[in-house]
Amino acid sequence: QGDRKRRKLKKWLIVAGSLFLVAVLLVFFLVLPILQMKKQAGVFLTEAKGIYEGLQSQDLNKAVEKVASTKKEFEKLKTSYRKMVWLKVIPFASGYYRDGQRLFAGGGYLLETADLVVEALKPYSDLLGLDGGEEQKEEKDITTEERLSLVLDTLDKIQPNLDKIGEKLDLAQAEIDKINPHRYPQSLFGEKIKEKVVSLINTIDGTAQTVKEVKPIISHLKPILGVDEPKDYLLLFQNDAELRPT
């Protein structure tokens, strides 16, 4: 009977030791990376928001700086995520991990897109009023027509970059569209998870589609606006309140 008790005790010690080992591994390879990613995600989102704020405040230099810092924080976040690569072999968790990989791949292409946008605008920041300088430079007296012509010339010059931007957006769209929003719950800990995933997919799809639609329009803007040669347009208006509007 003593041997039986020892065997039983040994069995319980093995089970307890195994559970303890699993708990330690989960702490080091799941809990700690998640906590680290949560902290890094906050910094990343702050830097990414700075890109929008820079463009909104017409400060291209700030936007350029924020793109660079956002890319650094993105790489840190991606490195932390790779620590959970073991989730790929867990049946229930593998789909979620792969979605994360697709999100990072798409995010990388979006950051490359942001880089292309600010780099394309750099040479024309003064013309577009994106210098963001506190000291106002003396502007030459130019007419609205001349300023419009300069803007159209600028659009012509940055049009080749639109092709590159479109390509990056297509790559981002291809990655993000692989994410299955139906696998996510409606909400978790008060956060609307599924709604945010669907919103992300729709936003990127819409942006990619907009760029595709804008590209051919830019090449026709100058002829339409009569830059190369005068254009005459006849505008007809109808009054739908009358029985015979025409």
Side-chain angles (χ1 to χ4, degrees):
Q1 190 172 357
D3 292 338
R4 185 184 299 176
K5 287 183 177 179
R6 281 194 294 270
R7 286 197 297 269
K8 190 175 181 180
L9 178 62
K10 184 178 180 181
K11 181 180 179 181
W12 278 109
L13 286 175
I14 292 174
V15 172
S18 300
L19 291 175
F20 178 75
L21 179 61
V22 170
V24 170
L25 291 175
L26 286 175
V27 168
F28 280 97
F29 294 100
L30 183 63
V31 177
L32 290 181
I34 288 176
L35 293 176
Q36 185 180 27
M37 285 182 64
K38 184 179 179 181
K39 182 179 179 180
Q40 291 173 335
V43 178
F44 167 75
L45 290 174
T46 300
E47 296 300 315
K49 187 178 178 182
I51 300 174
Y52 171 75
E53 291 175 348
L55 294 174
Q56 190 179 40
S57 62
Q58 298 183 325
D59 189 348
L60 189 62
N61 291 328
K62 178 182 177 181
V64 171
E65 292 174 2
K66 289 299 180 180
V67 168
S69 60
T70 301
K71 289 169 75 174
K72 289 181 181 178
E73 295 301 326
F74 181 79
E75 289 301 320
K76 292 179 183 178
L77 194 58
K78 188 163 66 172
T79 299
S80 297
Y81 187 74
R82 286 175 182 154
K83 294 178 182 178
M84 298 187 293
V85 67
W86 57 274
L87 290 173
K88 288 176 69 175
V89 300
I90 308 298
F92 174 75
S94 60
Y96 294 102
Y97 182 81
R98 288 190 175 88
D99 280 351
Q101 286 182 310
R102 291 159 185 152
L103 182 62
F104 276 105
Y109 290 127
L110 290 176
L111 283 175
E112 290 178 21
T113 302
D115 209 5
L116 286 171
V117 170
V118 295
E119 288 298 326
L121 294 175
K122 253 186 181 180
Y124 316 104
S125 59
D126 291 341
L127 170 64
L128 299 174
L130 298 174
D131 49 6
E134 294 181 1
E135 299 179 358
Q136 296 294 330
K137 297 180 180 179
E138 294 183 1
E139 296 184 359
K140 296 180 180 179
D141 294 330
I142 60 175
T143 64
T144 302
E145 183 179 350
E146 290 172 333
R147 185 176 293 278
L148 178 60
S149 180
L150 288 172
V151 171
L152 291 173
D153 286 337
T154 303
L155 288 174
D156 271 349
K157 291 172 183 175
I158 68 174
Q159 188 176 7
N161 288 305
L162 285 178
D163 293 330
K164 297 178 183 177
I165 291 170
E167 290 173 4
K168 295 296 181 182
L169 283 174
D170 285 342
L171 291 171
Q173 182 182 13
E175 291 292 340
I176 300 299
D177 282 350
K178 292 176 185 176
I179 297 176
N180 180 13
H182 300 295
R183 80 165 87 243
Y184 295 89
Q186 291 290 344
S187 61
L188 186 65
F189 303 117
E191 293 288 335
K192 295 181 179 179
I193 304 298
K194 187 174 182 179
E195 181 179 320
K196 289 183 178 180
V197 174
V198 172
S199 176
L200 173 66
I201 295 173
N202 291 340
T203 299
I204 294 176
D205 288 349
T207 303
Q209 186 61 34
T210 299
V211 171
K212 290 177 183 177
E213 293 173 354
V214 165
K215 282 193 296 182
I217 294 175
I218 290 178
S219 60
H220 294 92
L221 277 177
K222 291 177 75 173
I224 291 174
L225 294 176
V227 174
D228 298 324
E229 58 182 19
K231 293 282 186 179
D232 295 323
Y233 293 94
L234 175 64
L235 301 179
L236 299 177
F237 296 91
Q238 289 186 323
N239 186 355
D240 59 358
E242 296 181 3
L243 291 176
R244 295 181 180 178
T246 53

